[in-house]
Each structure stands twice: as structure tokens, then as C-alpha cells.
Amino acid sequence: MTPSVTREKISFETCDGVSLKGDLIRGEDPQLAVLISAGTGFPRQFYQPLAEFLAERGAVVLTYDYRGIAESRSGDLAKSTIDLPDWGRFDMVAAVETLAQSAPGLRITHLAHSVGGHFLGLMSNHHRIDRHAFVAVGSGYFGVHHLRNRPLELYFWWGLGTYSLLRWGHLKAFGGWSGEALPPRVFRTWRRWSQRRSYFRPDFDHALKPQHYGEVTAPIRSWIFEDDPIATSKSAQDLMGCYPNAPKSLQLRSPSDIGVKRIGHDGAFRPGRERLWQECWDWLSQPDLAA
């Protein structure tokens, strides 16, 4: 971290009374606010190098842990009632409000990894975000992922996951799952959605009500990578189709395009990907043309 960038650990509360942990990374004379929403099972510290890069260019950046994850975890996960949509309906909403209070007067933008791009339509305050950068964001449906990855996913859903729920009552980090432990309902909902091409759309009129997917109009630019077995072109297009009224564009990159040997599903956030980060910054820092 350079002397011009500071980091402050914070706690903030959701409207349903859950306390979340976050980091505010602030550069000198900031001109933009950026919310970074994590992928499933990733702690906020994973995004620290990217957050510092954005702060050095003039941003106030908020990274945070969803409820039940990393430092926002509390109590016995096996007894947890946390469900996957809670991250969008409550946690992302509170994160936007916290960032707005911490960066008064600045445009709010959003950089989302994987599931971090799934729940804009559950946010009652989605209109406060000026634009979105999706990085490795695609539908979780295994049938549009790389063919070679499907046996691993089936093992994860029905082997490792099933055993973990029976043995410990939640998804434990073992047997090939290297992410944070997950509450049982989060895993079960994720598994159910991932078995169908329509993903979470059938729940729009039921479990996901109220939802605002058709009301999201902030532009979305989505970066996907040739060697990512999960966020493929098809899965990215399927997911962006959930936002019918948002202007959308897809950016396909190979590892060599950004000067590395591998990106995969999570490599875009590791040090050495500054060429990609600059692309994201250039997109997020564009002026609000509508204004």
C-alpha cells in the first residue's frame, strides 16, 4: 500500500440488523466511489490489491464480507437461516448506503465478481449505482460451463456438498472446496439454481419477490476470460439477460491479452493483472453521460 492510500476497517449494519465487516480503502483527493462485491466464498481481503489500485487512481473503495462469510460470520453455521438472496436484498443494499455516507457527493460505481453480479435486481437502491463492471460473472448453470469442468461440478454439488451437509451441517472447506465455509441454505439454493438453464428466473415471482431486475438501467460491461471454465460466453450472456433494460457489452479476453499465463475464474484479482484493472478503471471512471 502506498502512502497515498489508507485502509480503515469498519462495521456496518443491514436493515434487518445483521452486522457486516468491511474495509474502506481511500486514495488522495478521490473523485469516484467503487463498491467491490465478492464471489461466493471469497473473503474481502482477496480483493485488496485491486482495491488499492483503484484507490491510487482516485477512488474510495469499499470491500465487504457477506453475512455468514469470513469476518461477517457469526454463530453456528449449521443452524444458520442465511439464504443466498439475502446477500443482495440486505447486504449489498447496506454496502451501497455505507459507501455513499463515506464518500459524500461522489458517483457510486460497482465492480462485481461472479455472484456479486447476480443480485442487482434484489437491491432496493440499485438506482444509486451509476455503472457496473462485471468480472468473471456468469450464470451458475453447469450446462453452459466448459465441458471438462462438469464432472468436477457434479462432484461438488452431489458428492462433496451432500457429504458436508450430512457430516457438519454446512459446506465446510475441505475435499477441493477452498472457499469460505457456506451456510446450508446458501449451498442448497446455489445448487438448485445451478441445475437449470433458467437459473434463478423461475423464482422471480416467488422466493425472489420483490425483485427489480427489469428496472436496472445502469450500464453493465462484462469481462470474461477464455480459460474461465465457469463464466463462459454463454453463461455471461444468460446472466446479463436477467437485466433486459440495462445497456450491456461483453469483453472477451485471453490471458495473453493482459500479459499473464492464466486467469481462470478468480485470477483476474491477483497481482499482475494491472492491465485488466486499468480497463475496469477506465470504464468505471467515465463521466455519467446521462447527467
Side-chain angles (χ1 to χ4, degrees):
M1 187 180 301
T2 66
S4 62
V5 172
T6 61
R7 179 167 65 95
E8 175 189 3
K9 294 186 69 172
I10 64 170
S11 298
F12 58 97
E13 192 167 293
T14 67
C15 67
D16 64 335
V18 175
S19 179
L20 303 179
K21 301 298 183 182
D23 288 324
L24 273 172
I25 300 94
R26 188 184 301 268
E28 291 182 347
D29 191 26
Q31 304 298 313
L32 186 71
V34 183
L35 178 70
I36 297 181
S37 293
T40 304
F42 288 87
R44 69 184 191 276
Q45 287 85 357
F46 180 69
Y47 305 95
Q48 181 78 13
L50 169 61
E52 292 179 10
F53 178 92
L54 298 175
E56 289 169 359
R57 277 147 186 80
V60 177
V61 184
L62 175 60
T63 60
Y64 62 105
D65 292 323
Y66 303 123
R67 63 184 64 196
I69 299 296
E71 291 187 8
S72 293
R73 173 179 171 176
S74 62
D76 183 357
L77 276 192
K79 298 178 181 179
S80 170
T81 60
I82 296 169
D83 204 351
L84 196 52
D86 295 338
W87 294 351
R89 195 176 307 283
F90 301 112
D91 301 355
M92 293 174 69
V93 168
V96 167
E97 296 301 322
T98 299
L99 181 57
Q101 294 167 11
S102 303
L106 299 186
R107 284 193 302 117
I108 298 175
T109 63
H110 182 217
L111 194 152
H113 176 212
S114 197
V115 80
H118 290 196
F119 298 138
L120 313 183
L122 299 183
M123 300 173 65
S124 58
N125 59 355
H126 66 84
H127 57 277
R128 301 199 67 173
I129 300 175
D130 175 72
R131 61 183 55 214
H132 304 271
F134 283 3
V135 180
V137 174
S139 162
Y141 172 57
F142 77 95
V144 291
H145 298 170
H146 282 182
L147 183 61
R148 67 177 183 274
N149 207 57
R150 294 178 193 176
L152 180 61
E153 294 190 43
L154 292 173
Y155 156 73
F156 174 69
W157 295 125
W158 302 105
L160 181 152
T162 300
Y163 174 80
S164 187
L165 293 185
L166 290 172
R167 175 67 176 82
W168 294 289
H170 67 277
L171 182 65
K172 187 182 177 74
F174 90 110
W177 172 248
S178 58
E180 296 287 320
L182 297 180
R185 292 181 65 181
V186 166
F187 176 78
R188 289 192 178 101
T189 296
W190 187 17
R191 180 172 64 184
R192 175 167 55 86
W193 288 347
S194 295
Q195 305 308 299
R196 59 196 187 196
R197 181 73 183 264
S198 53
Y199 199 50
F200 52 49
R201 292 191 194 197
D203 288 356
F204 276 4
D205 295 325
H206 305 285
L208 295 183
K209 289 183 68 175
Q211 53 88 7
H212 316 279
Y213 283 88
E215 300 168 22
V216 175
T217 57
I220 300 168
R221 181 166 293 181
S222 179
W223 279 264
I224 59 170
F225 311 105
E226 290 180 351
D227 65 338
D228 184 345
I230 297 172
T232 62
S233 293
K234 286 184 180 179
S235 72
Q237 290 166 357
D238 282 356
L239 196 284
M240 287 197 295
C242 296
Y243 304 105
N245 296 311
K248 299 175 284 287
S249 63
L250 196 63
Q251 312 292 313
L252 177 62
R253 298 287 183 268
S254 68
S256 61
D257 288 337
I258 59 174
V260 298
K261 294 182 178 180
R262 180 188 177 277
I263 303 174
H265 192 58
D266 60 10
F269 303 94
R270 300 182 186 279
R273 278 64 175 173
E274 289 80 5
R275 192 182 303 178
L276 172 67
W277 300 351
Q278 186 63 47
E279 288 188 29
C280 295
W281 170 256
D282 291 343
W283 163 248
L284 293 174
S285 61
Q286 285 184 20
D288 182 357
L289 299 180

